[in-house]
Amino acid sequence: MEGIPDKSIGDLSNLSTLQLQTPKEEKQKETRKKNGLVFLSLLLIFIFAPFIVMLTSSALSYFGKISFAKYKNSASKFFFITSLKLSEANKYYLSYIVRTPLLGDFFANLDRESVVIIYSDRVALSTIYITESLINYIDKILLKKEYGKELLNEMHYQLDSIYKDASFLEAELKNTELNSIILSGLVVGKTDLTDLKRRTLFFKEVVEESEGLFFRSNESKYLILFQNDKKLRATGGFIEVLGVLNLSSGVVSDIELVKPESIDKNISGNVDPPLLLRKYLHQDTWSLSESNWDPDFPTSATKAEWFIDKAMDLRIDGVVSVNLGALKNFSPEDLNENLLDNFKDYWRQISTSEKTELLSLLSESFDQKDFQIFVNNNKILDSLNDLGWDGSLTHQNCTNNCYSDFVGLFETTTEGESGSEIKRLMTLRVSFEEKLLKRKLIYYIENSSASDYKMNLRLFIPGENGVSKVEVSSGDKKQEVIADTERLRGYKISGLEVEVPPHGARAIIFNWEGESSFDAKEKSEYKLFIEKQSGIKDIPVEIEILGNNIENFKSDT
């Protein structure tokens, strides 16, 4: 057999270097591989799960904002509640892993971003809950004839929550990294938290005082001035109809509509009108329909109360002005004696989303001064003033090398109508000179209608200023006019009559100046308040500030 190779065994010289794997060893290797993948997966989840949850909750919060903007309260609540729950769970998880070595700082940033979402969602949810409570409150006092005291308490609680959460959110955003700033743009958006806190505080004060104002054993009476804003007056429009709204034990009982002429007939003797009213409206006696001559609504409201007291011997608890142009958003019918019943039917038929939209329009109408309110309660009136809802002239004094300036232009229509065919533009130049402050205002008005538009135009400025002649120009034609002047409550008033022909335009140019101890060379502040007239839509305003050392000018509209 020698010389014959053994093919069955082969070469066994390298046998010691071969490592044969048994089935058991192969299984262990596969297990280690799987465990490694599981560990890697868990590590990735550990690192990225908070980030994924944060993005998800941010998206949900954003969708909540979109839904609320479309007045879809139920969908909005779902998004905000889900976002809030996710963010709270994420915050709880992050509170442990921020202690992780090396990655702790990264997780700390995510932790702060989760806090931003949590407070933002809480503010949004409280806003929705307040809206729902307000809708239920209106349902009760208007339809069910019940006084919803518990709903007022709920609104007070939610307003308190908004103020606290907005304060925490504002503080958190002041100490954010870049990614939190981006996140806040998605979640918080353009919300001005300082303004939100301010308005929330004032709403809270109104709710606190409303029980004593509305819920009384005897009837409360509120005068409603329905103003035709196509015929402009200082507080909105010519008073065409009056309404006396009666509240009994805090619920709406009825409203009585009357014409101002019927009230005037019951006033004996003549009521001397203001000088410029007598001249421009050619009235020897003051009537209720023109009681809103003063652009300061609390003053005009008090005068309307005086007329009602003299003519009807009624004690009025407050006055509300309503421009007829804005009333169309709230009543499907024209103004008539069934106004209250028509509104009840309308309110009963519309959905919660439509009611929410209506409340949003109401707030906007007060902001635009289409609605104004005066009440005989100083604490509530102060809050309404701070909200800008009382229609008062807002000229605030300041000290310590600070100058507070004021400009108000008010039209009184004497012929034609003010509407979409009347366009306006205002340009104001402020010049700081040595011990002198000069202003030049150009009021441009264009009439694209087929009728003349005539008006009395009154300029209100601080009383210490001197006014030059007024220039009225049309194309190449210029005319200088000596304006009528008078003083009122610290203001100087300059008035003149202006006629704008069909398809024509006029530029009315005012110049005034006054001495000033304001020193622009030192650290100083200049505050300018431009008053919007009720009944006129927003007018484009161009402002130019001239002078040395003018570093920053901020405009708040």
Side-chain angles (χ1 to χ4, degrees):
M1 304 293 291
E2 186 176 352
I4 301 175
D6 188 347
K7 296 181 180 179
S8 63
I9 296 177
D11 188 3
L12 300 179
S13 61
N14 293 323
L15 181 62
S16 60
T17 63
L18 296 177
Q19 295 184 3
L20 300 177
Q21 291 185 338
T22 65
K24 182 178 180 180
E25 290 174 333
E26 290 181 356
K27 186 175 182 181
Q28 289 175 343
K29 183 179 180 181
E30 187 69 24
T31 300
R32 284 194 299 270
K33 185 178 179 181
K34 288 181 178 179
N35 289 341
L37 291 173
V38 170
F39 175 78
L40 181 61
S41 299
L42 290 174
L43 181 62
L44 291 174
I45 291 173
F46 174 80
I47 295 173
F48 291 108
F51 184 72
I52 294 171
V53 172
M54 187 198 69
L55 287 180
T56 303
S57 58
S58 299
L60 289 168
S61 185
Y62 177 75
F63 290 138
K65 283 174 53 183
I66 297 298
S67 298
F68 188 68
K70 295 179 179 179
Y71 314 109
K72 297 178 179 179
N73 288 1
S74 296
S76 183
K77 268 199 302 186
F78 169 78
F79 286 125
F80 283 125
I81 289 174
T82 307
S83 172
L84 178 61
K85 295 300 181 185
L86 281 175
S87 295
E88 287 176 338
N90 207 28
K91 176 74 172 66
Y92 180 78
Y93 175 67
L94 287 165
S95 66
Y96 288 97
I97 63 174
V98 289
R99 305 163 191 170
T100 305
L102 301 178
L103 294 175
D105 290 340
F106 173 75
F107 288 132
N109 289 333
L110 290 180
D111 181 67
R112 288 193 292 269
E113 289 160 0
S114 294
V115 171
V116 169
I117 300 173
I118 287 171
Y119 284 127
S120 179
D121 288 342
R122 286 178 180 175
V123 169
L125 284 169
S126 293
T127 303
I128 295 172
Y129 295 145
I130 288 173
T131 303
E132 292 176 339
S133 295
L134 185 55
I135 289 173
N136 291 334
Y137 179 74
I138 296 174
D139 284 342
K140 280 201 168 189
I141 66 172
L142 192 65
L143 305 180
K144 299 179 181 179
K145 301 294 184 180
E146 299 175 6
Y147 178 61
K149 181 179 179 180
E150 73 286 354
L151 292 171
L152 286 178
N153 293 336
E154 175 63 21
M155 283 188 278
H156 186 275
Y157 169 77
Q158 295 297 346
L159 285 166
D160 191 55
S161 297
I162 288 178
Y163 186 85
K164 291 178 180 177
D165 289 334
S167 297
F168 285 124
L169 178 58
E170 187 176 37
E172 197 67 33
L173 287 173
K174 287 179 180 178
N175 300 300
T176 55
E177 303 294 336
L178 177 61
N179 48 349
S180 285
I181 296 173
I182 296 172
L183 175 68
S184 68
L186 179 66
V187 176
V188 182
K190 297 181 180 179
T191 303
D192 186 336
L193 293 174
T194 301
D195 183 64
L196 174 64
K197 286 166 52 186
R198 181 183 65 84
R199 293 170 72 91
T200 298
L201 188 61
F202 299 140
F203 278 126
K204 184 180 172 184
E205 291 174 354
V206 170
V207 171
E208 285 175 353
E209 292 293 315
S210 60
E211 182 177 357
L213 186 66
F214 299 120
F215 186 65
R216 300 205 307 247
S217 56
N218 58 328
E219 279 196 339
S220 302
K221 295 184 181 294
Y222 290 85
L223 182 65
I224 304 177
L225 309 176
F226 293 100
Q227 304 180 140
N228 181 357
D229 42 336
K230 290 185 177 181
K231 297 180 179 179
L232 289 174
R233 295 296 184 268
T235 69
F238 179 77
I239 301 173
E240 291 200 340
V241 179
L242 300 170
V244 179
L245 179 67
N246 296 305
L247 300 180
S248 180
S249 299
V251 301
V252 177
S253 55
D254 62 77
I255 183 172
E256 178 185 0
L257 300 182
V258 294
K259 289 283 189 179
E261 308 88 80
S262 63
I263 304 296
D264 291 329
K265 291 177 182 178
N266 295 327
I267 297 178
S268 58
N270 287 344
V271 182
D272 288 335
L275 177 64
L276 295 185
L277 188 154
R278 182 194 297 271
K279 177 177 180 178
Y280 295 126
L281 299 184
H282 311 291
Q283 293 190 4
D284 293 326
T285 185
W286 205 351
S287 62
L288 177 56
S289 58
E290 299 290 357
S291 60
N292 57 350
W293 175 256
D294 196 310
D296 183 72
F297 183 70
T299 302
S300 287
T302 302
K303 193 64 183 181
E305 286 184 346
W306 182 88
F307 275 101
I308 294 296
D309 178 54
K310 295 299 180 185
M312 303 174 66
D313 194 26
L314 285 181
R315 179 185 178 276
I316 298 298
D317 297 279
V319 182
V320 179
S321 71
V322 177
N323 290 337
L324 295 181
L327 183 63
K328 296 176 181 178
N329 296 324
F330 302 89
S331 177
E333 304 289 338
D334 292 333
L335 188 62
N336 57 56
E337 59 185 11
N338 298 318
L339 175 67
L340 183 59
D341 290 334
N342 290 339
F343 181 74
K344 285 181 180 180
D345 292 339
Y346 178 59
W347 182 265
R348 188 182 290 110
Q349 293 169 9
I350 61 178
S351 65
T352 301
S353 294
E354 291 171 316
K355 290 176 180 178
T356 303
E357 183 177 6
L358 213 58
L359 292 178
S360 178
L361 285 171
L362 180 63
S363 176
E364 183 180 332
S365 295
F366 275 111
D367 289 339
Q368 292 295 319
K369 299 178 72 171
D370 285 321
F371 290 6
Q372 299 166 104
I373 183 168
F374 166 82
V375 293
N376 289 298
N377 178 302
N378 289 335
K379 192 169 183 180
I380 290 183
L381 192 59
D382 287 342
S383 296
L384 292 172
N385 175 263
D386 290 323
L387 286 167
W389 287 11
D390 70 330
S392 60
L393 299 185
T394 53
H395 182 205
Q396 303 173 4
N397 293 322
C398 60
T399 56
N400 298 326
N401 202 26
C402 170
Y403 187 85
S404 177
D405 210 352
F406 176 89
V407 177
L409 270 180
F410 303 95
E411 295 181 30
T412 298
T413 306
T414 54
E415 185 177 326
E417 292 186 344
S418 174
S420 59
E421 294 176 318
I422 305 295
K423 306 294 183 183
R424 301 169 177 86
L425 173 66
M426 183 187 298
T427 300
L428 177 64
R429 178 186 296 171
V430 181
S431 301
F432 292 93
E433 299 183 8
E434 188 71 28
K435 303 293 184 180
L436 199 63
L437 189 58
K438 295 183 177 181
R439 282 79 103 208
K440 179 179 182 178
L441 185 147
I442 303 175
Y443 192 60
Y444 180 81
I445 183 165
E446 180 180 355
N447 176 16
S448 59
S449 73
S451 304
D452 284 327
Y453 180 69
K454 296 181 181 180
M455 62 171 173
N456 157 245
L457 185 63
R458 286 180 291 160
L459 171 71
F460 279 60
I461 58 174
E464 68 271 13
N465 291 279
V467 183
S468 304
K469 291 181 180 179
V470 181
E471 182 181 300
V472 180
S473 64
S474 173
D476 296 332
K477 296 181 180 178
K478 296 182 180 180
Q479 178 186 7
E480 285 191 339
V481 178
I482 299 176
D484 298 299
T485 61
E486 65 176 354
R487 293 182 178 273
L488 179 69
R489 297 191 307 276
Y491 295 103
K492 176 171 284 186
I493 305 171
S494 297
L496 71 155
E497 292 179 299
V498 178
E499 178 179 352
V500 187
H503 307 290
R506 292 288 185 270
I508 302 96
I509 303 171
F510 294 91
N511 288 278
W512 68 97
E513 61 184 47
E515 293 183 0
S516 174
S517 58
F518 181 76
D519 188 357
K521 295 180 180 179
E522 299 180 3
K523 186 177 181 181
S524 51
E525 186 176 9
Y526 173 72
K527 293 183 177 181
L528 173 63
F529 299 88
I530 300 178
E531 191 70 27
K532 177 188 181 299
Q533 180 177 358
S534 172
I536 296 180
K537 299 303 179 183
D538 291 337
I539 301 175
V541 179
E542 298 175 359
I543 301 174
E544 184 180 10
I545 307 293
L546 302 176
N548 297 324
N549 302 315
I550 302 297
E551 295 180 358
N552 182 41
F553 183 74
K554 179 182 178 182
S555 175
D556 295 321
T557 56

